[in-house]
Amino acid sequence: MTPLLFHKYHGLGNDYLVCHRSVADRLSQEQIRLLCHPHYGIGSDGLLIDSGDAVNPTLRIINPDGSEAEKSGNGLRIYARYLFDSERVGHQPFLVHTAGGDVRCQVAEDAHQITVEMGRANFSPAALPALIDLPEALNYPLPLREETLSVSLVSMGNPHCVVPVEKLDLAQVHRLGPQIERHPLFPKRTNVQLVEVVDRQTLRIGIWERGAGFTLASGSSSCAAASVMRKLGRVGDRVSVRMPGGELQIAFSGDFQVSMRGPVHKIATLTLDEDCFAGGAGLFTGSTPAA
């Protein structure tokens, strides 16, 4: 039987496990949730499943709650590094297929820096989807339990709700993130970013990730925040996005075509003992993750 082999990487503290589809096919949704648990499993911000072949790299992304994500910027950078470490790609650009669209990736000469062309930022609420009958939702009033926020929506192949703030407060991310993620306007939930504009070349963001919660860093969130601020005229074509885990470089070309560059580091290659699943049995009984 194929061993339960995993590779663990992180991009600015946002960590993922990577495995081949032959391993993932043996795991139930509850087992994936256990696997990502920091105490009962290995601990991870999600599972990246290598679902393609030698010619067509294909990535599936599973959140820690067992739901599936369309796209992840950090996940793509990590998957690109995994493909490089597996000697399936070199330093030339290559395509990766995802549920959120195809992206072009390139591994730098030192193998730590990865560039991902994330595609075009889409400001149509229908692309997230969001239940807003407008061509764009910029500075849109979003009512919450105790307040109404001005937010802007964008899709990077996955949904994002960007909230400008005068001064970033991570406690606010923890407070507002869950409310916005599951707001009725977002039938498939949404990722959330609180964004402080430092200057025309620099943003600070705090991230609440759909299906994962508070996250140290996120590639697609960085792209989303930079795209909204560029759309609103508050930043230029090159933006440094600072997060608790570190910094990513975002660049724009053409009609909001977005590229991202940032680091990836490998943590370990390991084989999971199936006793993990016995030790955590019943941990999620009675709780069903959102699809």
Side-chain angles (χ1 to χ4, degrees), residues 57-160:
T58 302
L59 175 62
R60 287 184 62 209
I61 305 160
I62 309 298
N63 293 318
D65 69 353
S67 60
E68 188 159 354
E70 302 90 345
K71 189 187 279 189
S72 161
N74 277 352
L76 279 159
R77 294 203 325 279
I78 286 171
Y79 183 61
R81 170 68 188 273
Y82 158 82
L83 292 173
F84 179 82
D85 290 345
S86 305
E87 299 184 345
R88 287 163 57 187
V89 301
H91 294 295
Q92 297 302 311
F94 58 92
L95 280 180
V96 172
H97 307 291
T98 77
D102 293 351
V103 299
R104 188 175 299 277
C105 304
Q106 186 170 13
V107 181
E109 289 299 323
D110 70 353
H112 288 129
Q113 290 289 327
I114 314 291
T115 299
V116 178
E117 296 176 13
M118 291 288 286
R120 179 178 174 274
N122 188 342
F123 296 95
S124 167
L128 278 79
L131 304 179
I132 299 173
D133 189 18
L134 293 170
E136 294 179 348
L138 301 170
N139 298 321
Y140 185 85
L142 183 72
L144 301 180
R145 289 193 298 267
E146 299 175 354
E147 61 203 295
T148 296
L149 300 175
S150 177
V151 306
S152 296
L153 308 186
V154 64
S155 172
M156 295 303 312
N158 60 347
H160 296 272

Side-chain angles (χ1 to χ4, degrees), residues 267-291:
I267 300 171
T269 295
L270 48 93
T271 303
L272 185 72
D273 194 307
E274 296 202 27
D275 197 41
C276 164
F277 302 134
L283 181 64
F284 299 110
T285 301
S287 61
T288 303

